[in-house]
């Protein structure tokens, strides 16, 4: 028994482990359940009982020595292989470009508009794009036979006589109604969102676009408040040198009404292709909220007054980023969108 242990000890000591194959061969020969060490352990029971403890101890030492040799060899082989693997990385290869998402030009423009109004104390209100006919038209004081209701302009979703039909909202003004039905004055909100119109699609107009509506209702709100608010907005949005022009206009839900132009911020008012040589760009419609609209929402026009405005977002985005076709804003073509990443 003693001899067998010594022979095995020498064998283990002499076994050269140089690579992963040697390592596995070592394990199979000495360490597994049917390996040489286990075999000697099996013989232990045939040894005279007085000698068993000594041999047992020797065998255990041998087993530990074999395990140690195995672990040390394994570590050094792994270190060599992973080092080799590291060297295989070709540092001269060009890096892989990760595509980074970015904010859409319309959302960037809308974000700037929202921030300006938020700083003036306007809260943000939203409403559904699928809207009731009555909120989109009747309650905003559109007469029953108004041409805007025509199916040429409006995408009706349901159409039944004598019912409040559903349509894709044609402007963000119905959100005014929703807010006034929910809240009591003072009310100061902006309502950004998508609107839909059944228009011929071209480089200048599309069937969906974005608007930002504003509404301010309180006691003694005047047209002067409206002008000051629009002035302040325009100077922050288009530059402090910008000039404004209020032109009398008509909307069923405001009286008096105006359309507002800013000096063309591309040519500074001198006249260019974009402003059609006029030096002015129209940015919004506005006015004092019509008493009928207040009444429709149970707000007493003798006690409260207010102003409203609505502006397009897409055209400003187009001009700002020098994009010459509105359709590009809605195609989600990554080649176009990635040009706006910071
Ligand atoms: N809703 C109008 C449109 O889509 C824009 C507008 C004009 C909104 C005057 C207003 C307003 O709130 O007072 O053309």
């Amino acid at each position: 028994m003693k001899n067998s242990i010594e022979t095995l000890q020498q064998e283990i000591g002499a076994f050269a482990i140089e690579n992963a194959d040697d390592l596995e061969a070592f394990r199979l020969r000495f360490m597994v359940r049917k390996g040489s060490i286990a075999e000697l352990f099996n013989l232990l029971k045939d040894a005279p009982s007085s000698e068993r403890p000594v041999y047992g101890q020797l065998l255990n030492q041998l087993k530990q020595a074999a395990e140690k040799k195995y672990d040390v060899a394994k570590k050094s082989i792994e270190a060599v292989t992973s080092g080799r693997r590291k060297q295989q990385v070709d540092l001269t290869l060009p890096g892989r470009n990760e595509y980074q998402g970015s904010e859409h030009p319309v959302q960037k423009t809308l974000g700037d508009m929202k921030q300006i109004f938020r700083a003036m104390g306007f809260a943000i209100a939203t409403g559904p794009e699928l809207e009731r006919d009555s909120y989109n038209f009747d309650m905003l004081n559109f007469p029953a036979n108004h041409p805007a209701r025509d199916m040429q302009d409006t995408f009706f979703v349901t159409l039944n006589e004598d019912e409040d039909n559903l349509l894709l909202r044609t402007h963000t003004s119905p959100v005014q109604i929703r807010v006034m039905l929910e809240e009591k004055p003072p009310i100061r909100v902006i309502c950004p969102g998508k609107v839909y119109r059944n228009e011929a699609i071209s480089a200048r107009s599309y069937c969906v676009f974005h608007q930002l509506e504003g509404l301010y209702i309180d006691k003694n709100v005047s047209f002067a408040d409206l002008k000051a608010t629009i002035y302040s907005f325009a100077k922050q949005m288009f530059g402090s040198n910008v000039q404004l022009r209020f032109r009398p206009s008509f909307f069923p839900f405001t009286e008096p009404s105006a359309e507002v132009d800013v000096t063309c911020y591309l040519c500074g008012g001198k006249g260019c292709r974009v402003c059609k040589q006029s030096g002015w760009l129209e940015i919004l419609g506005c006015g004092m909220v019509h008493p009928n609209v207040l009444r429709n929402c149970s707000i007493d026009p003798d006690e409260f007054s207010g102003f409203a405005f609505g502006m397009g977002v897409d055209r400003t985005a187009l001009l700002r980023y020098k994009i010459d076709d509105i359709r590009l804003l809605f195609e989600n073509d990554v080649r176009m969108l990635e040009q706006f990443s910071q």
Side-chain angles (χ1 to χ4, degrees), residues 8-9 31 61-62 79 96 110 187 315 336 342:
L8 190 55
Q9 197 173 12
M31 297 169 67
Q61 282 165 0
L62 186 60
R96 241 175 272 144
L110 202 45
I187 291 170
R315 201 158 75 103
M336 137 82 188
Q342 274 92 5

Side-chain angles (χ1 to χ4, degrees), residues 140 142 170-174 176 195 197 209 211-215 251 253-254 257-258 284-289 307-311:
L140 285 165
F142 278 78
T170 59
H171 51 179
T172 41
S173 303
Q176 288 186 29
V195 302
R197 288 189 199 174
F209 53 97
Q211 283 188 337
L212 181 116
E213 190 85 11
L215 178 70
F251 300 102
F253 37 91
T254 44
S257 307
L284 56 85
C286 62
M288 301 306 293
V289 179
F307 65 72
F309 56 86
M311 69 181 84

Side-chain angles (χ1 to χ4, degrees), residues 53-111:
V54 185
Y55 293 147
Q57 201 182 4
L58 283 175
L59 271 177
N60 269 327
Q61 282 165 0
L62 186 60
K63 190 176 168 218
Q64 280 164 13
E67 280 168 359
K68 187 155 186 214
K69 180 171 174 140
Y70 178 86
D71 287 343
V72 170
K74 187 173 176 204
K75 277 208 184 85
S76 84
I77 288 168
E78 275 172 358
V80 171
T81 349
S82 75
R84 211 182 287 144
R85 222 180 279 142
K86 269 191 206 117
Q87 280 164 15
Q88 281 167 353
V89 173
D90 182 352
L91 298 175
T92 63
L93 281 175
R96 241 175 272 144
N97 255 350
E98 293 288 321
Y99 174 69
Q100 211 185 352
S102 59
E103 217 178 359
H104 192 283
V106 168
Q107 291 305 322
K108 274 191 181 182
T109 307
L110 202 45

